[in-house]
Amino acid sequence: MPAPARRRWLTIALLTELLLVAVAALAAAGLPAGDGGARRYVVIGLLAGALGLQNATVRRLAVADMTTTVLTLTLTGLAADSRFGGGQSPRVGRRVATVGLMAAGALAGALLLRVDVALPVLAAAVVIALAAVWLRFGR
């Protein structure tokens, strides 16, 4: 895919994901962690749509070792391609960074969830917004 088409796809995907996650954050405001009735399914549906779009974007742009929904594949790649596994450890830095960032995000989300259900969703919206701004104005 040519660079302008990749950039356009990524911009549209990021803005759509941001919209879905921001609406989910609004729907999650004041939602109790243990129960939320039908509203929790709205939040789940919006977040599932956003993550599905994110995964489809990674697949479409063919970003190697940057799986968003299957952490196991990245960990397996790290182990199987390591020197101990008989491999040459290609892109080990990217793989380790992916695992580390996912772990950091999970920890931050868990800590924010202790305060309010909407906070980790809002934090995700902020990260997506920052990525969209960096895509537009960065480099």
Side-chain angles (χ1 to χ4, degrees):
M1 178 181 288
R6 286 174 62 94
R7 190 177 199 88
R8 185 173 40 257
W9 173 273
L10 189 54
T11 300
I12 291 168
L14 271 174
L15 293 176
T16 304
E17 183 180 5
L18 176 59
L19 176 67
L20 290 169
V21 173
V23 172
L26 288 173
L31 194 65
D35 187 30
R39 196 168 63 163
R40 72 178 164 180
Y41 294 114
V42 171
V43 173
I44 291 168
L46 289 165
L47 293 175
L51 290 176
L53 176 62
Q54 185 181 95
N55 199 41
T57 298
V58 169
R59 281 183 57 100
R60 181 169 181 145
L61 298 180
V63 180
D65 298 314
M66 198 62 71
T67 56
T68 57
T69 57
V70 187
L71 181 59
T72 306
L73 182 60
T74 303
L75 292 171
T76 301
L78 270 171
D81 295 338
S82 72
R83 298 207 195 301
F84 296 115
Q88 298 298 318
S89 296
R91 299 179 303 275
V92 69
R94 178 184 279 187
R95 290 176 178 175
V96 169
T98 299
V99 172
L101 289 170
M102 285 187 186
L107 177 62
L111 293 173
L112 289 172
L113 188 59
R114 296 182 71 167
V115 178
D116 189 294
V117 173
L119 283 179
V121 181
L122 184 59
V126 168
V127 169
I128 295 165
L130 290 172
V133 168
W134 178 79
L135 178 68
R136 175 64 179 99
F137 301 108
R139 298 186 215 178

